[in-house]
């Protein structure tokens, strides 16, 4: 078990002066978290989730949150940036723990970019066992994909990192994918990962140890506050919220209608603007026409599908509102300098090279 912090008063990462006005809830049983790590996981997602729990223990003056790290075979695992993390257990140990008095209060799944290939039978069986026995689960970042592959999401609302959102939506058409930081649905939580993991952890701290404790943790991390799960991830429309409400609404409409592009006339009716007024807005804020900007959004979506799925070119064309694959290919080449097929090959090769270089650099550091 990875003990978050000593509670004998000798070491404190949070100054007592920051905590002296914190009123803690009555002592209760600690909260056990089982972390499941998959190769290539995001170190940022993991740290953003765990460090607030560690600091909350410091503020509380006791080891309330406890966690353990598990991998498929109980051996160390390499994250996306090449750092190796040791494990306390194998996944099989978590299976045994679920039926014991040491049952985890939450199972947290953390994955990376290659999540599509990581749905092993033992892992899916473990996740289904958690679901059946109502052990709360949280999927950080791309790990939502594994819950979808295991049939645990169905029509329930969920979220995933925005970069994987188009691929998840196209691959699992029944899912209700939302652009939120995190989404809670009964005992299941899906989180966008990266810094969104911090906000999920802060809500957990607030719910278990109170808002004052959570505020003290925020103060230590220099975060002004933690955000609600309903807050949105990044989107093109969000860039204009503080500048032009109408511009934000128009781009939001475009983002919602990638597969079935709206005409400028339809967009104008929706926002109660004239076509000429909309053209002036786009000329002022993005220095291009509405149609050119709309095309850019559609091609960026197509680029994500090319990079993160094995969808045939014709299916990607349809998903991004192109009538023919040849028209899609021409527009893609004009925008990115190569065809969708060439881009996919280069993307796979680049990912493989980065992974190899990260492994080499880590090995060199270890030898030193």
């Amino acid at each position: 078990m990875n003990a978050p912090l000593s509670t004998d008063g000798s070491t404190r990462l949070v100054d007592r002066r920051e905590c002296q006005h914190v009123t803690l809830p009555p002592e209760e049983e600690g909260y056990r978290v089982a972390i499941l790590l998959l190769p290539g996981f995001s170190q940022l997602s993991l740290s953003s989730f765990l460090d607030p729990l560690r600091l909350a223990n410091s503020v509380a003056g006791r080891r309330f949150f406890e966690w353990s790290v598990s991998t498929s075979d109980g051996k160390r695992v390499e994250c996306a940036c090449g750092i190796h993390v040791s494990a306390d257990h194998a996944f099989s140990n978590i299976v045994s723990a679920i039926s014991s008095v040491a049952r985890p209060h939450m199972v947290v799944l953390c994955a990376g970019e290659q999540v599509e290939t990581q749905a092993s039978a033992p892992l899916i069986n473990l996740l289904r066992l958690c679901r059946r026995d109502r052990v709360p689960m949280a999927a950080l970042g791309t790990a939502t994909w594994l819950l979808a592959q295991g049939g645990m999401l169905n029509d329930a609302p969920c979220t995933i990192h925005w970069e994987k959102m188009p691929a998840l939506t196209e691959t699992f058409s029944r899912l209700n994918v939302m652009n939120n930081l995190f989404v809670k649905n009964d005992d299941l939580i899906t989180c966008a990962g990266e810094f969104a993991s911090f906000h999920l952890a802060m809500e957990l701290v607030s719910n278990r140890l109170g808002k004052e404790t959570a505020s003290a943790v925020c103060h230590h991390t220099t975060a002004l506050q933690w955000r609600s799960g309903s807050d949105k991830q990044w989107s093109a429309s969000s860039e204009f919220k503080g500048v032009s409400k109408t511009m934000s609404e128009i781009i939001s409409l475009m983002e919602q209608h990638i597969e079935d592009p709206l005409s400028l006339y339809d967009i104008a009716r929706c926002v109660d603007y004239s076509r000429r007024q909309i053209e002036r807005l786009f000329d002022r804020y993005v220095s291009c026409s509405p149609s050119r900007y709309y095309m850019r959004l559609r091609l960026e979506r197509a680029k994500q599908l090319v990079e993160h799925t094995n969808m045939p070119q014709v299916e990607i064309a349809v998903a991004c509102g192109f009538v023919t694959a040849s028209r899609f290919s021409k527009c893609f080449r004009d925008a990115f300098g190569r065809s969708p097929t060439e881009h996919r090959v280069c993307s796979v090769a680049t990912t493989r090279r980065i992974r190899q270089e990260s492994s080499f650099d880590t090995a060199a550091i270890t030898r030193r």
Side-chain angles (χ1 to χ4, degrees):
M1 187 73 68
N2 291 298
L5 198 65
S6 162
T7 57
D8 60 3
S10 60
T11 50
R12 294 270 185 233
L13 288 186
V14 179
D15 195 310
R16 283 186 179 276
R17 289 171 297 179
E18 298 176 8
C19 313
Q20 59 185 353
H21 299 300
V22 173
T23 303
L24 297 174
E27 293 220 5
E28 57 179 291
E29 179 190 7
Y31 195 87
R32 294 182 295 274
V33 180
I35 309 289
L36 310 183
L37 294 185
L38 295 174
F41 72 92
S42 166
Q43 181 70 38
L44 179 57
S45 290
L46 179 64
S47 298
S48 296
F49 183 80
L50 282 184
D51 265 4
L53 306 188
R54 174 181 63 84
L55 293 168
N57 286 343
S58 181
V59 172
R62 56 190 169 103
R63 202 176 73 186
F64 178 77
F65 291 107
E66 299 180 348
W67 55 86
S68 64
V69 173
S70 297
T71 59
S72 60
D73 55 6
K75 298 179 181 179
R76 66 177 189 168
V77 64
E78 185 179 354
C79 70
C81 62
I83 295 174
H84 288 84
V85 175
S86 60
D88 302 299
H89 310 294
F91 289 164
S92 56
N93 291 73
I94 305 300
V95 173
S96 303
I98 288 174
S99 58
S100 73
V101 292
R103 166 187 173 121
H105 294 92
M106 176 181 281
V107 169
V108 177
L109 185 61
C110 192
E113 292 184 1
Q114 305 304 312
V115 67
E116 299 91 340
T117 64
Q118 295 178 328
S120 65
L123 175 60
I124 295 299
N125 289 338
L126 170 56
L127 298 179
R128 286 174 177 167
L129 175 64
C130 292
R131 189 68 171 146
R132 186 175 66 245
D133 286 18
R134 301 192 66 81
V135 177
M137 287 190 292
L140 305 184
T142 61
T144 299
W145 194 285
L146 296 167
L147 298 182
Q149 280 187 307
M152 284 162 273
L153 294 178
N154 298 322
D155 299 323
C158 64
T159 191
I160 196 169
H161 188 272
W162 64 267
E163 197 172 44
K164 282 283 190 189
M165 202 173 293
L168 184 72
T169 302
E170 293 298 329
T171 305
F172 305 97
S173 57
R174 290 181 57 193
L175 295 187
N176 178 14
V177 184
M178 307 175 71
N179 189 30
N180 293 17
L181 291 180
F182 56 91
V183 176
K184 293 194 288 187
N185 181 52
D186 294 329
D187 296 322
L188 209 57
I189 302 173
T190 53
C191 175
E194 312 302 14
F195 286 124
S197 303
F198 171 84
H199 303 294
L200 173 59
M202 290 307 303
E203 180 158 308
L204 181 60
V205 170
S206 178
N207 290 341
R208 294 290 169 177
L209 294 177
K211 291 185 177 179
E212 288 180 289
T213 301
S215 295
V217 172
C218 269
H219 180 65
H220 181 78
T221 58
T222 70
L224 295 177
Q225 61 183 14
W226 67 94
R227 298 168 63 191
S228 166
S230 60
D231 284 3
K232 302 301 180 185
Q233 297 184 56
W234 178 88
S235 67
S237 60
S238 63
E239 296 183 7
F240 298 92
K241 282 186 177 179
V243 178
S244 169
K245 181 180 177 182
T246 303
M247 189 72 174
S248 179
E249 289 177 356
I250 292 171
I251 296 175
S252 181
L253 279 170
M254 290 178 173
E255 290 177 317
Q256 294 168 26
H257 292 271
I258 295 293
E259 185 172 349
D260 53 336
L262 298 173
S263 67
L264 185 55
Y265 173 76
D266 290 331
I267 292 173
R269 285 199 309 168
C270 288
V271 299
D272 197 24
Y273 261 47
S274 70
R275 294 179 57 173
R276 184 59 187 146
Q277 284 176 309
I278 292 176
E279 288 169 349
R280 288 197 190 103
L281 277 177
F282 275 79
D283 183 59
R284 176 181 178 182
Y285 290 113
V286 292
S287 302
C288 71
S289 67
S291 60
R292 182 180 294 275
Y293 189 90
Y294 205 169
M295 175 64 76
R296 188 188 308 165
L297 287 179
R298 291 162 57 199
L299 288 171
E300 284 294 338
R301 176 72 60 85
K303 184 168 173 279
Q304 291 174 352
L305 292 175
V306 168
E307 292 175 351
H308 298 291
T309 73
N310 293 319
M311 290 173 62
Q313 182 173 313
V314 65
E315 291 183 14
I316 295 177
V318 172
C320 297
F322 292 91
V323 177
T324 64
S326 59
R327 167 67 175 162
F328 163 60
S329 183
K330 181 182 183 306
C331 292
F332 194 97
R333 183 182 290 276
D334 289 344
F336 303 113
R338 53 194 176 199
S339 71
T341 302
E342 292 168 341
H343 186 80
R344 176 171 282 168
V345 170
C346 290
S347 177
V348 171
T350 300
T351 301
R352 186 181 297 117
R353 188 186 73 251
I354 290 173
R355 192 179 302 119
Q356 290 172 345
E357 289 175 351
S358 296
S359 299
F360 173 80
D361 290 342
T362 304
I365 292 170
T366 303
R367 285 196 299 273
R368 295 192 194 103

